[in-house]
Amino acid sequence: MFDCKGKVIVTGVGKSGHIGAKIAATLASTGTPSFFINPLDVYHGDLGVMTHDDVVIAISNSGTTDELLRFIPILLHMHIPIIGITGNPKSLLAKYSTTHLNVSVSHEACPLNLAPTCSTTATLAMGDALAVALMEKRHFRPQDFAHSHPGGELGKRLLTTAQDVMRQDNLPILPPDMHLGEAIILVSKGKLGLGVAEKDGKIVGIITDGDIRRAMEKWQAQFFDRTVSDIMTQQPKTVGPEIKISEIQNIMHTYKIHSVLVVDADKRLLGVVDSYSCMI
């Protein structure tokens, strides 16, 4: 499957077909081009989707399902490798498979020992194991997973960048020599819980609501005589506009902060991303 240059085609009938469809979906979302096909449809035109570069996973608990077995000679004639997943290593499907995976169970969970229950669970687990092994072999990363799931929460966090969510308008920009009494007003109007200290268009520091509260407690009556430069953090955390939201969340978690500044190549302020911006 790792060396397959085409697609991994999963097939099965009945309950095995339902399990096969799930296995194909898991493979496709984890880096292995794959889809499910009903063997009955092969006789009505769907054979055209298969090529010599493909690999087929054929699923049958008994290994003797007639509809599936009639499909096998076609695959053998096309020299398409067959991975048979059955609970019967002595079956015809196992015999004609290039590789056979035994998922036999001693008893079904069904009280009549008839309805596929334990056998379908074992087959599903085998399919997941194949998918996981291929992920490890391919060094599949969360970013790769996100490309297959752009509509999900994970996909959004891994594909959305700082410039997509950053606040750019009416940023609370403060000169370092501004008195804290004036700074409080600008920080409050900015509604970001912070103010960015700039000098000659360059970032020289940042103050937060917490910095202001601690300064008021420390200096009390002298608080209004102090300036932004007295309490600002001189090396705030900055990121580029292309950095992913997931990376920003890691920075916030590591440094116990709630916001980062987005800057260009010249370290000039472009915007602010806070924890609320990351909740997309």
Side-chain angles (χ1 to χ4, degrees), residues 37 39 44 51 54 58 64 106 131 159 161 180 218 267:
I37 188 171
H44 300 281
T51 71
D54 297 335
T64 59
S106 60
L159 297 178
T161 63
L180 293 179
K218 177 180 179 181
K267 299 299 181 181

Side-chain angles (χ1 to χ4, degrees), residues 11 43 54 176-177 191 202 208 212 221 226:
T11 187
Y43 306 106
D54 297 335
D177 57 356
K191 297 181 180 180
K202 294 294 184 71
T208 66
I212 293 173
R226 299 290 180 170

Side-chain angles (χ1 to χ4, degrees), residues 17-261:
H18 293 300
I19 296 299
K22 191 275 179 186
I23 292 173
T26 299
L27 288 169
S29 68
T30 53
T32 300
S34 178
F35 63 88
F36 174 80
I37 188 171
N38 189 312
L40 297 177
D41 293 332
V42 170
Y43 306 106
H44 300 281
D46 283 4
L47 182 62
V49 303
M50 295 189 181
T51 71
H52 298 287
D53 293 325
D54 297 335
V55 171
V56 167
I57 298 178
I59 303 172
S60 169
N61 185 47
S62 67
T64 59
T65 305
D66 181 63
E67 299 92 334
L68 194 61
L69 290 178
R70 286 190 285 126
F71 180 27
I72 299 303
I74 300 173
L75 300 177
L76 295 176
H77 177 72
M78 295 180 67
H79 302 289
I80 295 176
I82 303 169
I83 300 172
I85 300 180
T86 82
N88 182 3
K90 296 182 180 180
S91 64
L92 284 175
L93 177 56
K95 176 181 178 181
Y96 287 107
S97 294
T98 310
T99 298
H100 176 250
L101 299 175
N102 186 357
V103 292
S104 60
V105 296
S106 60
H107 197 279
E108 298 286 4
C110 166
L112 301 177
N113 194 31
L114 294 174
T117 45
C118 290
S119 58
T120 49
T121 302
T123 304
L124 184 61
M126 180 62 76
D128 286 342
L130 290 172
V132 170
L134 286 167
M135 289 174 70
E136 293 182 351
K137 185 75 172 176
R138 291 194 172 98
H139 305 292
F140 198 75
R141 304 166 301 165
Q143 291 86 345
D144 302 317
F145 187 84
H147 282 290
S148 300
H149 301 75
E153 179 183 352
L154 175 63
K156 289 181 182 179
R157 286 194 293 110
L158 292 172
L159 297 178
T160 305
T161 63
Q163 65 184 353
D164 294 326
V165 299
M166 67 184 182
R167 161 87 172 271
Q168 304 176 68
D169 301 324
N170 302 317
L171 296 176
I173 307 299
L174 318 172
D177 57 356
M178 175 180 281
H179 286 93
L180 293 179
E182 298 176 78
I184 289 177
I185 298 173
L186 291 180
V187 170
S188 178
K189 286 182 177 179
K191 297 181 180 180
L192 285 170
L194 58 81
V196 182
E198 281 192 357
K199 185 175 182 180
D200 298 327
K202 294 294 184 71
I203 299 170
V204 294
I206 187 174
I207 65 171
T208 66
D209 284 341
D211 295 328
I212 293 173
R213 289 194 300 271
R214 286 185 289 272
M216 293 180 72
E217 182 180 4
K218 177 180 179 181
W219 287 309
Q220 298 185 20
Q222 288 77 39
F223 170 80
F224 292 96
D225 297 325
R226 299 290 180 170
T227 65
V228 169
S229 61
D230 291 327
I231 66 170
M232 68 184 186
T233 299
Q234 296 185 13
Q235 293 182 325
K237 297 302 176 186
T238 61
V239 298
E242 300 297 332
I243 191 170
K244 302 296 190 294
I245 290 299
S246 58
E247 297 178 61
I248 292 176
Q249 289 177 316
N250 288 335
I251 293 172
M252 291 180 180
H253 177 74
T254 300
Y255 294 99
K256 305 295 188 295
I257 56 178
H258 301 288
S259 304
V260 296
L261 307 182

